[in-house]
Amino acid sequence: MVKDRLAELKSRSKYANHNPDDAGQLEVLLTRSQEEIFQNLEKFSQLTAWIQTIRANITDMRKQIGTSKFHYNDKPIRDRIEEKMKENNQLCQRIYSSIKQLESELGDDSIHRTGVLFRIKNTQFLVIRDDYLSAYREHEELVAYYEHRIMLMMKLEAKAMNYNITDDEALEQLTGNQRSPFAGNLLEETERERQILRDIMTRHSQLEALEKSLMEVRDMFVRISSLVMEQGSLVQVIEYHAQQATLNTDHGAHQLQKAREYKIKALKKRTCLLIWISTALAVLLFLVIIF
């Protein structure tokens, strides 16, 4: 049979000597401790949310700064980055003030260092402080990287424009929020480049005109070649007739030579015939006169 030891346990309990009227007071004490714990948790939750916001802003700014399209003259991007930096600075100030206040409260509660509530608050305070310091260092590193990259881009742009700039000048232009520090030099370079561009365009127009003329000559030769190909048979006929005309001319000259020879022979024969006839008539006339 199991022995009932409830009375013995009650007698050994640390609340055995308490009166029943003290139960309400004990419940009130426990409720106050719980409320204080919940209040501290709410404070630390708010601080944690602020730290998470700082880290989210850092991640967003790192993405925008790290992209290849980032340029210090890009006003929308720089405005967003500087707005997030301003927000982070304000959150850091709030967190720092809250941490200093918590540190002061923990100093006031130093007489209760052995209490559970103090140990909970101290542990949460140390965690929040370390987390805040880590986020603050990340923020400072990002700001330094942002300024370094803008200064480097300014130097590269100045070097491309044959303009020397020191780190102090770049930092002064950055702090002065000058988005176009090389405007004057850029205008001169732009005017010079425009003149060069106009000369190039003029030369380009001349080359285009020359190219057009060459294309017209080429088209003319192509057209002539096409006509020659189309009239090839006619050209061959003309060539044949030309050759025949040459041959006929030679043959006609030969015939003319023969005709000239025949004419001379005929003239000689006619002359001889006339001489014979004249002689015969003279003889006949002489005979008639005699007889």
Side-chain angles (χ1 to χ4, degrees), residues 77-285:
I77 294 180
R78 282 195 64 179
D79 289 342
R80 286 196 299 269
I81 292 174
E82 291 174 0
E83 183 179 354
K84 289 186 179 297
M85 285 184 178
K86 183 178 179 181
E87 182 182 1
N88 280 0
N89 289 330
Q90 293 176 353
L91 290 175
C92 287
Q93 292 177 1
R94 292 180 186 177
I95 296 172
Y96 178 77
S97 300
S98 300
I99 288 176
K100 295 299 290 184
Q101 183 179 358
L102 290 172
E103 187 177 7
S104 177
E105 292 177 359
L106 288 174
D108 295 338
D109 293 342
S110 59
I111 57 176
H112 303 95
R113 287 183 179 274
T114 58
V116 176
L117 182 60
F118 176 81
R119 290 198 297 270
I120 293 174
K121 289 175 63 176
N122 188 51
T123 303
Q124 291 176 336
F125 169 76
L126 294 176
V127 171
I128 288 295
R129 186 188 64 181
D130 293 341
D131 196 15
Y132 162 71
L133 292 176
S134 176
Y136 182 76
R137 282 193 294 269
E138 291 179 7
H139 173 71
E140 289 296 320
E141 290 175 358
L142 179 66
V143 171
Y145 171 71
Y146 170 71
E147 293 178 351
H148 174 71
R149 181 162 187 191
I150 289 182
M151 291 170 61
L152 182 61
M153 294 175 70
M154 285 183 177
K155 286 184 178 180
L156 291 175
E157 186 172 340
K159 185 177 180 181
M161 296 179 180
N162 296 324
Y163 182 76
N164 295 323
I165 183 173
T166 62
D167 293 340
D168 295 335
E169 291 175 347
L171 183 60
E172 182 180 356
Q173 291 170 359
L174 176 62
T175 54
N177 199 19
Q178 298 183 13
R179 302 183 187 274
S180 300
F182 313 108
N185 194 15
L186 182 60
L187 291 176
E188 295 178 0
E189 293 290 335
T190 302
E191 185 61 29
R192 185 161 55 250
E193 295 299 329
R194 284 180 179 175
Q195 183 61 38
I196 295 174
L197 180 60
R198 284 194 289 267
D199 296 339
I200 292 174
M201 293 298 294
T202 303
R203 183 64 176 170
H204 180 67
S205 301
Q206 294 175 355
L207 291 175
E208 283 184 343
L210 179 60
E211 182 183 4
K212 185 178 180 180
S213 300
L214 292 175
M215 291 179 66
E216 290 177 354
V217 172
R218 184 202 63 183
D219 295 339
M220 186 181 299
F221 276 108
V222 171
R223 191 177 298 110
I224 292 173
S225 300
S226 300
L227 292 174
V228 170
M229 291 178 63
E230 291 177 359
Q231 304 297 329
S233 58
L234 182 60
V235 171
Q236 291 178 358
V237 172
I238 293 173
E239 183 180 3
Y240 171 75
H241 285 293
Q243 292 177 356
Q244 291 296 322
T246 302
L247 294 175
N248 291 331
T249 301
D250 294 338
H251 183 68
H254 182 66
Q255 293 295 328
L256 288 174
Q257 183 66 27
K258 285 184 177 182
R260 189 178 296 110
E261 291 177 357
Y262 289 154
K263 183 179 180 180
I264 292 172
K265 288 181 180 180
L267 183 61
K268 288 180 179 180
K269 289 180 179 180
R270 188 180 299 172
T271 303
C272 291
L273 182 61
L274 288 174
I275 291 173
W276 282 104
I277 291 173
S278 298
T279 303
L281 289 175
V283 171
L284 289 176
L285 183 60

Side-chain angles (χ1 to χ4, degrees), residues 29-44:
L29 292 175
L30 291 175
T31 303
R32 288 178 181 176
S33 299
Q34 291 175 355
E35 288 180 355
E36 190 172 355
I37 290 174
F38 289 145
Q39 289 176 359
N40 290 328
L41 288 175
E42 186 176 355
K43 290 180 182 179
F44 290 121

